[in-house]
Amino acid sequence: VAVCLYDSALHIAGMNHFMLPQMKKGFHADEDVLLAGDACMEALLNSMLAKGAAKHRIRAKAFGGGAVIDTTVPGALAVGKRNADFAHEWLEREGIPLVASDFLGPWSRKILLVPATGDAFCKRMTSSLISQDTLRREEQAYAESLINKPVGATDKKIELF
């Protein structure tokens, strides 16, 4: 789920994207903490407030939670729904109105936020579902790459999204 926050008086805006509602404590929790909604929503709001935004003026737009992982398998977790529910709950708890949203469905989305105006554009993209087995293998390979990374090695890659 991606959440855009905007203060119309100061034209301050920010957007985040989270993969899970909360991050469980684990070996890589420190590296991955901002992939979790609870941490990145707080970081986004606090960053905006530090720049002078006022909470009573902040409005939100939120998108995502599409079915990009095959959840037809019995026992599969509906991560997209959990993320969408978390976004609704967090915004309500913080008293920030959600003025536009596009949640769930069989799509991934591309989001563009214009900070000067607070406009957010959402393009739905056809998603080919990834199986849970494939996802599990990919996550295991990633975890192993973190464990086996040589001390002092740095990645100088740019991630395009």
Side-chain angles (χ1 to χ4, degrees):
V1 166
V3 178
C4 306
L5 299 180
Y6 178 66
D7 179 324
S8 59
L10 296 182
H11 304 284
I12 295 174
M15 176 171 63
N16 66 26
H17 176 251
F18 57 89
M19 308 297 282
L20 295 168
Q22 290 119 1
M23 181 66 62
K24 293 181 180 176
K25 298 288 184 193
F27 187 72
H28 297 290
D30 289 342
E31 292 106 0
D32 295 337
V33 70
L34 288 181
L35 295 177
D38 57 354
C40 72
M41 290 301 297
E42 291 298 326
L44 176 58
L45 178 60
N46 289 339
S47 184
M48 290 182 64
L49 295 174
K51 295 188 180 314
K55 196 170 177 184
H56 70 276
R57 291 191 307 251
I58 294 176
R59 301 292 180 261
K61 297 176 183 178
F63 311 90
V68 294
I69 299 172
D70 184 3
T71 58
T72 59
V73 178
L77 298 175
V79 176
K81 172 118 175 58
R82 288 176 40 218
N83 285 339
D85 290 346
F86 171 82
H88 281 286
E89 291 163 7
W90 189 90
L91 291 167
E92 186 175 320
R93 182 173 59 246
E94 293 296 325
I96 298 172
L98 180 62
V99 297
S101 66
D102 184 40
F103 287 119
L104 306 177
W107 315 279
S108 59
R109 292 160 174 86
K110 182 175 183 176
I111 308 301
L112 174 68
L113 172 64
V114 182
T117 63
D119 290 334
F121 300 91
C122 173
K123 179 178 181 180
R124 289 180 175 177
M125 319 254 309
T126 303
S127 178
S128 56
L129 297 180
I130 183 171
S131 73
Q132 287 188 327
D133 289 337
T134 302
L135 180 62
R136 194 172 293 115
R137 279 194 307 273
E138 293 292 327
E139 286 180 343
Q140 183 64 33
Y142 173 67
E144 289 172 7
S145 75
L146 292 175
I147 292 169
N148 298 324
K149 190 173 187 176
V151 175
T154 59
D155 293 332
K156 295 187 178 183
K157 293 187 274 183
I158 297 173
E159 182 179 339
L160 300 176
F161 57 95

